[in-house]
Amino acid sequence: MKELGIDIETYSSYDLKTCGVYKYVEATDFTILLFAYSVDHSSAVCIDLAMGESLPPEILDALTDPDVTKTAWNAAFERVCLSKFLGLDGRLDPAQWRCTMVRAARLGLPLALGQCAEVLNLPEGKMEEGKALIRFFSVPGRNGVRHMPEAATGKWDMFKQYCCRDVDVEQALLDKVRRLDAAPFDDELYIADQEINDRGVLIDRELVENAARFDREYKAGLLAEARAISGLENPNSASQIKQWLHETTGKSIDSLNKKNLDDIESSLVFWPKARRVIALRREMAKTSNKKYEAMLQCVCSDGRVHGLLQFYGAARTGRWAGRLVQLQNLPQNHMTDLDLARGIVKMGDMEEFETGYGDVAMALSELIRTSFVAAPGHTFHVCDFSAIEARVIAWLAGEDWVLDVFRRGGDIYCETASRMFGVPVEKHGANSHLRQKGKISVLALGYGGGVSALEAMGGSKLGLTTDEEQETVRLWRSANRRIVRLWSVLEDAAIAAIRTGRVIRVHRGMTVQFRWGMLLITLPSGRVMCYPRATVGMEYDDGWRGDHEIIEYEGVSQTTRKWQKSRTYGGKLTENVVQAIARDILGVVILRARRSGLPVVFHVHDEIIVEAPEGRTVQEVESLFSEPITWCDDLPLKGAGYSTPYYLKD
């Protein structure tokens, strides 16, 4: 036996979606119902564990045999569940597992098994009855009672067929996704990722429980005030609020989404009650503090939350996605007295907290990061890259003046503004008011964006008119001609590769080619980005652009979650490539930490958080960031770190 393909069906009274697999298996009633497997791509066999069957000895041995590769779709689920089933103190070694879902993600395919099978037009896909069968056998019924197999033998037989079908579908998918060999470092990075999720991170449970209670009580008070002012039964109802506003002010409101609330509130200056109701609605709608409840739902018996990161969660770039608590969008902290604020919350004194901080929701949101704490005898060393995307895009494009600024430790925002406006710009000196324009230009304009990109970055808040924003775009592009040229280089290479089938070589050893019906971009690290079913067509335009070629490919829409055609272009390709390279650079750092025995507990964007035992210094972590990387050894990289007993943004 060389390879064992596995799919299991389980039961637990815990909700998998909200608590994650690590908490899911801690339920006292957790059990594995069915174990279906394929040995070396043979037809699936199902073991009915719920009805008393046992795993064959050779299959049981294979689960811990390092010479047998175990495969599964979303392999983390099978690995964690089987670790519990086998009664292991730790967990099955992720180095022995290969995740078919990750392999599909590397090809730009969906992360859902059924959707992936449908996209690849497999002759047999997932059984449509599967979801209903899972609801029947794998979760408690409406009355909380579990449905047993012997009570519905017909459905149970179909459930076993469903489990076998999943194995057969996964094996068929494997034949498709094996065509792309992962870069060796990326397979190792998957192992490191699984170890990080297994390790988890400790939360300050007292802080989290009290913060969750504060948030509930505060929002209940807001709701009561909104009801008292408006007389509405449910001021959270958009339709009720719109109707009440119309009756009260005569104004018709199309949308109460987050972006519109500021404008709506400012337009109600002559209706103070209506204005107050809108302000209350904004406060009640803040979702960031729901992360406290999310932590309580997924914290495990060891006091830690596990499974916070999804490897290859972002299509094409391969960046991680957040799960459960969503680490990728944590609010920043700006208050200077975090220790005091945390202390008041931990004491549980809601009245004192509201007296001291006024805006309870905002204050609680600033404390979310501090919920993650280092274990006793340890400290967090938090380290990140400085302006990683600005460095990578300049390195990729050959924008040498930008690289020189980073090499000498200069301020890229000041230097950019200086080149744009032709005057010296110092952060706290001459022409310092121009630095912010340089900053938003660096952050907004690197990927082909124009006035709308500046607006999204806060251009109008700086007092810029539309004409000034257009001039800012022109000045930035004039100062960064090589970056601007990179957009067309990548777009032209993609079009040529799709049209001709040739391998097009571009900057820094990257190649662009068309293979298997996919646009493939090989990154400097050796990892490949995939755009499935890529085509080149023509768009006919009577405007300033005229008729021009367009690149289309298929993928999962971020808004509809459906598989559909999407467009890309030079600026977007540049953004994907730069973020993918930055991801690979962070991956190298994570692997260095692993090899150095520095335990990473989670990471966010370009930052890692190490739970360091006594004697391991932050300087050790910083050194991981500054050591040259073989495939980008002339890229100036720098990491800056700090030590803290709880997570925060320094």
Side-chain angles (χ1 to χ4, degrees), residues 306-589:
H306 302 262
L308 293 174
L309 298 164
Q310 174 63 61
F311 188 76
Y312 236 101
R316 288 169 293 286
T317 65
R319 294 197 296 181
W320 284 264
R323 293 292 184 263
L324 302 174
V325 184
Q326 292 296 340
L327 297 173
Q328 312 296 338
N329 61 357
L330 293 173
Q332 291 192 1
N333 51 268
H334 300 286
M335 62 174 66
T336 57
D337 55 349
L338 284 173
D339 283 341
L340 176 61
R342 294 179 84 254
I344 295 173
V345 174
K346 293 182 72 169
M347 286 191 299
D349 193 333
M350 169 71 170
E351 184 177 345
E352 183 176 351
F353 189 74
E354 188 168 8
T355 300
Y357 295 96
D359 190 339
V360 171
M362 181 62 71
L364 288 176
S365 73
E366 291 201 30
L367 293 180
I368 291 173
R369 288 175 185 261
T370 74
S371 301
F372 301 103
V373 296
H378 295 68
T379 191
F380 281 160
H381 296 325
V382 182
C383 193
D384 69 353
F385 282 111
S386 169
I388 183 65
E389 288 189 33
R391 292 170 187 260
V392 170
I393 194 171
W395 173 78
L396 195 61
E399 200 69 77
D400 291 334
W401 73 264
V402 175
L403 298 176
D404 288 340
V405 172
F406 286 124
R407 288 189 181 105
R408 67 172 185 266
D411 186 313
I412 188 59
Y413 305 138
C414 286
E415 186 64 30
T416 297
S418 179
R419 284 180 174 262
M420 288 171 63
F421 300 104
V423 295
V425 178
E426 300 174 7
K427 187 172 183 178
H428 301 294
N431 302 304
S432 59
H433 65 285
L434 294 176
R435 182 180 184 271
Q436 192 63 23
K437 293 183 179 180
K439 180 176 182 178
I440 66 168
S441 297
V442 169
L443 297 177
L445 302 179
Y447 304 130
V451 169
S452 59
L454 279 179
E455 273 297 296
M457 199 59 66
S460 59
K461 292 181 181 178
L462 289 179
L464 297 177
T465 65
T466 300
D467 288 343
E468 287 173 328
E469 287 176 332
Q470 289 174 341
E471 180 65 3
T472 299
V473 172
R474 186 190 69 78
L475 291 172
W476 183 88
R477 291 184 178 182
S478 179
N480 294 272
R481 295 184 184 278
R482 289 178 179 266
I483 292 176
V484 172
R485 183 171 179 272
L486 178 62
W487 306 337
S488 58
V489 166
L490 283 174
E491 183 168 324
D492 291 346
I495 291 172
I498 296 169
R499 285 212 181 279
T500 69
R502 293 187 294 115
V503 177
I504 312 296
R505 300 190 179 279
V506 291
H507 299 278
R508 300 296 186 181
M510 288 201 311
T511 62
V512 182
Q513 61 180 309
F514 186 68
R515 191 179 180 194
W516 312 313
M518 294 184 173
L519 175 66
L520 307 179
I521 301 178
T522 302
L523 302 167
S525 65
R527 189 165 65 89
V528 179
M529 290 170 48
C530 299
Y531 297 78
R533 297 174 184 164
T535 59
V536 173
M538 289 295 296
E539 183 171 71
Y540 302 98
D541 189 348
D542 294 331
W544 65 271
R545 295 191 67 187
D547 299 346
H548 57 279
E549 292 177 303
I550 57 170
I551 304 169
E552 292 186 312
Y553 67 95
E554 293 184 12
V556 177
S557 167
Q558 292 184 345
T559 53
T560 67
R561 311 312 302 170
K562 294 180 179 179
W563 184 263
Q564 62 189 52
K565 276 188 176 293
S566 298
R567 286 188 184 181
T568 191
Y569 53 92
K572 190 65 177 178
L573 289 170
T574 301
E575 180 180 29
N576 287 169
V577 166
V578 168
Q579 291 182 348
I581 292 173
R583 176 267 194 196
D584 290 350
I585 289 171
L586 184 70
V588 169
V589 171

Side-chain angles (χ1 to χ4, degrees), residues 86 89 99 106 122 126 128 147 154 159 165 196 247 276 349 379 382 385 448 454 605 613:
L86 295 173
D89 290 334
C99 182
R106 287 178 175 138
L122 296 184
K126 283 178 70 75
E128 294 182 1
H147 295 124
F159 201 29
R165 172 73 68 84
I196 291 169
E247 293 171 353
R276 177 58 181 164
D349 193 333
T379 191
V382 182
F385 282 111
L454 279 179
H605 302 308

